Amino acid sequence: DTAVSQTPKYLVTQMGNDKSIKCEQNLGHDTMYWYKQDSKKFLKIMFSYNNKELIINETVPNRFSPKSPDKAHLNLHINSLELGDSAVYFCASSRGASYGYTFGSGTRLTVV
Amino acid sequence: GQQLNQSPQSMFIQEGEDVSMNCTSSSIFNTWLWYKQDPGEGPVLLIALYKAGELTSNGRLTAQFGITRKDSFLNISASIPSDVGIYFCAGCSNDYKLSFGAGTTVTVRA
């Protein structure tokens, strides 16, 4: 049973395209996150939702739009992809940040 | 966001060695956590610390929450090849998000 699952695992696409990454958690957690890991492995928070409500929206281009249809799902849609969007994107969930996150296995996005 | 300074940036281990890494912050945290990331996977929680001065072990791993609440260290004793990976510290000052260090990459010495 995968706790936090995200799809696809790999995504290769051309500049200018629009793509989505899906995330689902079966842990019953209230809070979900999207993080971006760059080539230097730094983990940077992008968004956080608590019970379907957006609670964190860091400085992220408007081309990135999260959507949470219910508290078990948090999807990430990216418009007009750019070369600099290439990274690994991690979904995570928690019952409160101080308990730690459970991460998905990541989506490696490559924009060519 | 809050900056965590994690060191060393990278290290080489030889099987059987004890290794240590640490994290410092200019801000106080209420919780310190340590994660490990294997290639192609997401980070996995190793140890969580909730009280200043707390020392917690998980097998060969030991972590401490600094008394000033601005630092933490992680020790790995008697290292084995599967200890390679990237170790991240993370601090939490509210319940909304973690701030992560830049990671310590552990590699086996040839």
Side-chain angles (χ1 to χ4, degrees), chain A residues 9 33 35 37 41-43 45 55-56 58 90 96-101 103-105, chain B residues 31 33 35 37 40-43 45 50 86 88 92 94-98 100-102:
Chain A
K9 174 85 174 167
Y33 310 81
Y35 272 78
Q37 186 173 49
K41 307 300 182 187
F42 187 69
L43 286 160
I45 191 166
I55 57 170
I56 294 175
E58 295 287 305
F90 285 103
S98 59
Y99 295 97
Y101 301 162
F103 282 89
S105 58
Chain B
T31 305
L33 306 111
Y35 282 83
Q37 185 179 15
E41 298 296 328
L45 183 63
Y50 295 105
I86 306 176
F88 291 97
C92 182
N94 58 49
D95 217 27
Y96 295 113
K97 69 173 184 180
L98 300 178
F100 283 88

Side-chain angles (χ1 to χ4, degrees), chain A residues 67-80:
Chain A
K67 277 203 171 52
S68 182
D70 56 60
K71 77 172 194 177
H73 295 84
L74 179 61
N75 304 322
L76 183 65
H77 188 75
I78 316 169
N79 288 328
S80 303

Side-chain angles (χ1 to χ4, degrees), chain A residues 27-98:
Chain A
L27 297 166
H29 289 164
D30 287 337
T31 309
M32 295 185 73
Y33 310 81
W34 278 109
Y35 272 78
K36 180 180 180 180
Q37 186 173 49
D38 60 24
S39 57
K40 293 186 178 175
K41 307 300 182 187
F42 187 69
L43 286 160
K44 183 173 167 57
I45 191 166
M46 300 173 69
F47 302 104
S48 176
Y49 272 73
N50 181 267
N51 272 320
K52 302 193 298 175
E53 279 195 39
L54 181 67
I55 57 170
I56 294 175
N57 184 352
E58 295 287 305
T59 311
V60 177
N62 289 341
R63 299 181 294 102
F64 291 79
S65 53
K67 277 203 171 52
S68 182
D70 56 60
K71 77 172 194 177
H73 295 84
L74 179 61
N75 304 322
L76 183 65
H77 188 75
I78 316 169
N79 288 328
S80 303
L81 278 154
E82 300 177 357
L83 293 177
D85 297 332
S86 296
V88 181
Y89 292 85
F90 285 103
C91 176
S93 73
S94 76
R95 58 184 173 116
S98 59

